[in-house]
């Protein structure tokens, strides 16, 4: 038999491997031999795959190119039904104070259009506290344990809230990073935001980034809510929409 692939120059072998799907590189090709393992674990192969697929970042900013590749490919909003298009589907631990949660069409009475044309609805609270939560299982979403424990990708949390111009309201956000046993490993809790009566109804973004949170994170628990401050029957409380949780490369 003639010379095998092991006789190829390493740069050529990297180009061949770069044409193989990423999951197969890690689960199959990495096990072929020590040379392939070193190439799959090295930076050159993943830098090339990133270049081929338009995933750019200054080389000095990336510590692990394999993790950067997978996180970039997986990057998406992990919150399901963030804008009420499916009613309260996917939201649990729902607290329906007053007349409970309601979904309305933008801009709503005494409200403003949302900054993004892709958002058409929002959730609105009533005259007693309304809260709802969503728990994200990171492993089920494709973020394996070693990635979470070693790379510890930044976890970016965003939410949007607004009042209606003819009523005052309160708003709160609380996000927790949980372990396998649902112990709290890190937590962000906003202040209670007070929006006065006579506000202009515009939307405000609130955000927080978790980083260097240590090993063991398996779940993200996102909870938000609000109420009106005038105790009017109906839905005059805080409006929320566009919630998101993303893992950043």
């Amino acid at each position: 038999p003639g010379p095998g692939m092991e006789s190829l120059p390493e740069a050529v072998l990297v180009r061949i491997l770069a044409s193989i799907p990423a999951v197969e590189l890690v689960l199959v090709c990495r096990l072929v031999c020590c040379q392939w393992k070193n190439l799959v674990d090295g930076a050159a192969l993943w830098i090339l795959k990133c270049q081929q697929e338009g995933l750019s970042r200054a080389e000095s900013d990336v510590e692990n190119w394999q993790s950067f590749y997978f996180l970039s490919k997986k990057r998406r909003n992990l919150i399901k039904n963030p804008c009420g298009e499916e009613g309260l589907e996917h939201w649990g631990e729902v607290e329906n104070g007053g007349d409970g949660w309601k979904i309305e069409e933008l801009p709503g009475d005494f409200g403003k259009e949302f900054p993004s044309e892709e958002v058409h609805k929002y959730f609105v609270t009533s005259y007693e506290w309304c809260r709802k939560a969503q728990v994200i299982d990171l492993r089920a979403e494709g973020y394996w344990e070693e990635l979470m424990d070693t790379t510890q990708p930044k976890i970016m949390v965003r939410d949007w809230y607004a009042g209606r111009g003819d009523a005052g309201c309160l708003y709160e956000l609380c996000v927790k990073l949980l372990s396998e046993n649902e112990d709290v490993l890190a937590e962000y809790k906003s202040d209670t935001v007070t929006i006065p009566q006579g506000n202009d109804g515009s939307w405000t973004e609130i955000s927080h980034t978790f980083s260097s949170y240590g090993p063991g994170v398996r779940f993200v628990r996102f909870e938000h809510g609000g109420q009106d401050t005038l105790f009017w029957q109906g839905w005059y409380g805080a409006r929320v929409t566009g919630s998101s949780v993303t893992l950043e490369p």
Side-chain angles (χ1 to χ4, degrees):
M5 287 187 69
E6 66 275 4
S7 65
L8 291 173
E10 198 163 271
V12 175
L13 186 52
V14 164
R15 289 199 166 274
I16 293 172
L17 291 174
S19 65
I20 297 173
V23 173
E24 292 184 25
L25 286 173
V26 174
L27 298 182
V28 180
C29 298
R30 189 174 179 273
L31 306 179
V32 170
C33 63
C34 288
Q35 183 191 24
W36 284 30
K37 177 181 182 297
N38 290 336
L39 290 177
V40 173
D41 290 345
L45 171 59
W46 298 101
I47 290 173
L48 180 56
K49 283 190 76 66
C50 287
Q51 290 172 346
Q52 289 174 341
E53 299 183 35
L55 307 175
S56 61
R57 176 74 69 86
E59 291 194 24
S60 59
D61 292 343
V62 179
E63 294 182 10
N64 184 317
W65 278 94
Q66 183 184 127
S67 295
F68 173 78
Y69 175 87
F70 279 105
L71 286 167
S72 298
K73 297 291 284 186
K74 288 179 176 294
R75 189 180 185 276
R76 65 195 187 283
N77 185 7
L78 300 177
I79 292 285
K80 297 178 174 62
N81 185 29
C83 305
E85 296 289 348
E86 301 172 70
L88 286 169
E89 188 74 20
H90 304 297
W91 292 97
E93 302 177 54
V94 177
E95 181 180 339
N96 279 307
D99 288 320
W101 287 97
K102 185 183 180 186
I103 290 93
E104 295 181 344
E105 299 275 348
L106 280 158
D109 294 338
F110 295 91
K112 292 283 183 68
E113 289 289 356
F114 192 74
S116 168
E117 294 181 357
E118 296 176 359
V119 177
H120 305 289
K121 295 183 179 182
Y122 58 84
F123 302 91
V124 59
T125 61
S126 191
Y127 59 86
E128 290 179 355
W129 273 98
C130 297
R131 293 182 174 88
K132 58 187 176 71
Q134 199 166 134
V135 177
I136 298 164
D137 183 337
L138 294 171
R139 284 174 299 190
E141 297 293 344
Y143 297 95
W144 59 96
E145 294 179 3
E146 183 183 359
L147 178 72
M148 296 305 303
D149 294 346
T150 305
T151 303
Q152 294 179 33
K154 291 180 180 179
I155 301 175
M156 174 70 80
V157 177
R158 294 185 178 90
D159 201 21
W160 288 84
Y161 64 88
R164 49 182 286 164
D166 60 342
C169 63
L170 305 175
Y171 163 85
E172 288 182 354
L173 171 67
C174 180
V175 185
K176 299 176 181 179
L177 306 187
L178 306 177
S179 70
E180 177 76 32
N181 299 319
E182 299 190 5
D183 298 318
V184 179
L185 302 181
E187 179 177 7
Y188 168 75
K189 193 175 190 326
S190 72
D191 295 329
T192 300
V193 178
T194 301
I195 303 175
Q197 187 176 13
N199 69 88
D200 66 1
S202 61
W203 289 91
T204 299
E205 183 184 41
I206 184 171
S207 66
H208 177 75
T209 301
F210 292 96
S211 61
S212 303
Y213 40 77
V217 172
R218 301 294 179 262
F219 303 93
V220 179
R221 184 182 185 279
F222 179 105
E223 179 186 299
H224 62 183
Q227 70 167 96
D228 81 54
T229 53
L230 300 175
F231 304 98
W232 289 347
Q233 187 172 4
W235 296 274
Y236 293 84
R239 299 167 169 183
V240 295
T241 196
S243 310
S244 68
V245 173
T246 56
L247 272 64
E248 302 292 326

